[in-house]
Amino acid sequence: MSHSTKLITFFLTNLLLTLAVSGQSLTPQNATIKSELIKPESYQMKWLMLQDSTEMQLAVITTEIQQMADESLFITKVNMPNATMEWVDSTIVKSENLAPIYHSSHNQSRDMVINFGETITGFHLDKKTNEKIVLNEKPTELYFDSNSYQHLIRWLPLVENYTKTISIFDFNPVKKTGFLNAIIKSVVSDTFLINGSNREVWKVLVVDGISDYKVLSTFFIDKDTRELLKQEIEMPGRKMVMELMDN
């Protein structure tokens, strides 16, 4: 690819992202969410890494959704073969609009806790260095928790050519902490073969500021049940896939 072609590609990519961000972002206060689709469920996905012609299973991810009065709890457990402890994430949101309330994440490398409110508070503890970073931030805009927006996508009023920018808050002392965007770049109607039968799905392409918009995630979501059947994550030189396992 010539230097001029690279510049044109770079310009067009950033122009498209700018146009997507320039519209009104989705927040808990203005998002139309099909909350009737949020129900107690439990499912498992295989987490695979694909590189060249090699496929390697990294983990099994178990997701459980519980409903507690007007709140929803998302519990994600990542079971890696060689890990000394299970990776467990817990996220609490308001069921009505997925407004963030609480998030915690615990694994063998670090502990993290976030409490959402008028002030966002919490901490990140690196278990290897014992370094603790305290979070205390005053929100400057409305937002979803970055740990719940993947669930949010399932329950949006998806249609062909749907595009939206989602306002999120991400706490990551290693890279950056603050208010970012997740961008639904496109939604197309597709079919997906699973367990020998074709399912009608929404194929949803998403990028976000957590990865500087360089990593493309593709969600395959059942049109009727809004089950997540598969997620693909494409990054330079490799690809990760999460596939629904038989219950």
Side-chain angles (χ1 to χ4, degrees), residues 9 14 19 57 60 104-105 107 113-114 124 199-200 207 244:
T9 302
N14 282 277
L19 289 173
Q57 182 167 328
V60 171
S104 67
S105 181
N107 61 39
V113 171
I114 311 172
H124 178 285
R199 305 267 289 269
E200 294 290 323
V207 293
L244 185 67

Side-chain angles (χ1 to χ4, degrees), residues 90-113:
S90 300
T91 304
I92 301 176
V93 299
K94 293 182 179 178
S95 298
E96 159 182 58
N97 57 10
L98 269 65
I101 298 173
Y102 171 85
H103 175 74
S104 67
S105 181
H106 304 281
N107 61 39
Q108 65 186 32
S109 300
R110 55 112 178 98
D111 288 333
M112 181 170 67
V113 171

Side-chain angles (χ1 to χ4, degrees), residues 16-234:
L16 288 171
L17 288 173
T18 301
L19 289 173
V21 174
S22 62
Q24 185 182 30
S25 296
L26 286 183
T27 71
Q29 280 63 32
N30 65 21
T32 301
I33 297 171
K34 292 179 173 289
S35 56
E36 70 276 9
L37 294 172
I38 306 175
K39 59 184 185 298
E41 62 178 311
S42 179
Y43 59 91
Q44 289 187 312
M45 305 191 87
K46 286 189 295 185
W47 180 6
L48 308 171
M49 183 172 71
L50 312 179
Q51 191 164 16
D52 300 323
S53 59
T54 304
E55 177 181 297
M56 180 173 65
Q57 182 167 328
L58 301 178
V60 171
I61 303 172
T62 302
T63 300
E64 184 179 354
I65 298 178
Q66 300 177 9
Q67 296 207 272
M68 314 170 296
D70 59 349
E71 298 175 359
S72 294
L73 168 64
F74 308 137
I75 302 172
T76 303
K77 299 178 180 179
V78 182
N79 191 343
M80 296 183 176
N82 299 319
T84 57
M85 66 174 285
E86 196 171 42
W87 182 341
V88 181
D89 283 11
S90 300
T91 304
I92 301 176
V93 299
K94 293 182 179 178
S95 298
E96 159 182 58
N97 57 10
L98 269 65
I101 298 173
Y102 171 85
H103 175 74
S104 67
S105 181
H106 304 281
N107 61 39
Q108 65 186 32
S109 300
R110 55 112 178 98
D111 288 333
M112 181 170 67
V113 171
I114 311 172
N115 294 287
F116 298 97
E118 291 187 6
T119 302
I120 305 172
T121 61
F123 68 87
H124 178 285
L125 175 65
D126 187 317
K127 293 182 178 178
K128 294 179 181 178
T129 64
N130 210 33
E131 180 184 7
K132 186 175 185 179
I133 297 174
V134 175
L135 174 66
N136 192 315
E137 186 148 343
K138 198 77 172 177
T140 58
E141 55 187 86
L142 303 172
Y143 60 92
F144 293 98
D145 176 9
S146 64
N147 300 284
S148 67
Y149 92 80
Q150 295 90 345
H151 294 290
L152 165 69
I153 290 170
R154 294 173 54 195
W155 304 313
L156 290 173
L158 301 174
V159 293
E160 195 93 22
N161 300 318
Y162 180 95
T163 59
K164 285 291 181 183
T165 297
I166 304 169
S167 179
I168 59 175
F169 177 84
D170 189 60
F171 179 32
N172 186 344
V174 177
K175 291 187 66 178
K176 55 189 171 185
T177 293
F179 298 94
L180 306 168
N181 287 306
I183 300 172
I184 299 177
K185 298 178 66 176
S186 73
V187 175
V188 296
S189 181
D190 204 348
T191 57
F192 185 83
L193 181 64
I194 184 170
N195 297 329
S197 63
N198 280 316
R199 305 267 289 269
E200 294 290 323
V201 298
W202 293 120
K203 183 179 177 181
V204 185
L205 276 63
V206 181
V207 293
D208 63 38
I210 300 170
S211 63
D212 296 321
Y213 308 104
K214 295 176 182 176
V215 175
L216 177 66
S217 292
T218 303
F219 299 83
F220 296 84
I221 300 169
D222 185 285
K223 286 186 179 180
D224 294 325
T225 65
R226 294 303 178 95
E227 287 178 280
L228 176 60
L229 305 180
K230 184 179 182 181
Q231 181 182 354
E232 298 177 346
I233 303 173
E234 297 182 56

